[in-house]
Amino acid sequence: MKMVIERKQEGEARRLRRELEELREQIAALKTAVEEKPDYGMGEGDPSITRWELDQAMLGGLQERAVSLERQLRRINRGTYGVCEVCGKPIDADRLTVLPDTILCIECARSGGL
Ligand SMILES: [Zn+2]
């Protein structure tokens, strides 16, 4: 049983690393795109400014996602992925699907953890 879980986590770690790699490429590309801030003197509604703001917002979202993925990978590497950090019980798989980087089981979360 333990082996099965470990193998599943290996596959999960590979998937996360691949996603993280893609994310980092997107982040690098977006960073280059937002480096040149358009001139606001051209007035509101300039499509290049809207585009820049969208890129900025997207960059923020991608960076947050990358941080979350890194956290999940660290936990898998420590062998604690899917295990509640408070009570040490396995976290429900459905809960992990919805909240992949949660560190608490549903009981501990309800009793006011995070
Ligand atoms: Zn718990």
Side-chain angles (χ1 to χ4, degrees), residues 17-77:
R17 266 194 291 273
R18 217 173 20 238
E19 196 179 336
L20 195 57
E21 240 167 67
E22 279 169 22
L23 263 180
R24 284 191 175 132
E25 274 170 28
Q26 287 174 19
I27 287 170
L30 266 179
K31 269 189 177 157
T32 314
V34 298
E35 231 161 54
E36 289 286 311
K37 191 173 176 174
D39 183 2
Y40 272 78
M42 290 174 83
E44 261 177 66
D46 180 336
S48 70
I49 291 171
T50 312
R51 171 80 212 174
W52 184 84
E53 282 172 351
L54 282 176
D55 283 347
Q56 276 287 58
M58 196 148 91
L59 182 60
L62 289 178
Q63 279 169 331
E64 268 175 41
R65 176 89 185 122
V67 167
S68 160
L69 286 176
E70 280 164 5
R71 201 182 309 147
Q72 287 177 58
L73 268 172
R74 267 201 303 276
R75 299 188 72 229
I76 290 177
N77 290 338

Side-chain angles (χ1 to χ4, degrees), residues 83-91 103-109:
V83 175
C84 175
E85 288 207 344
V86 174
C87 68
K89 284 180 194 158
I91 299 171
I103 55 164
L104 297 175
C105 72
I106 188 82
E107 284 85 6
C108 293

Side-chain angles (χ1 to χ4, degrees), residues 2-18:
K2 195 163 187 285
M3 275 303 291
V4 174
I5 290 168
E6 275 167 8
R7 206 167 309 146
K8 195 185 163 202
Q9 289 196 347
E10 252 172 53
E12 180 77 355
R14 249 199 311 277
R15 189 184 65 76
L16 287 173
R17 266 194 291 273
R18 217 173 20 238

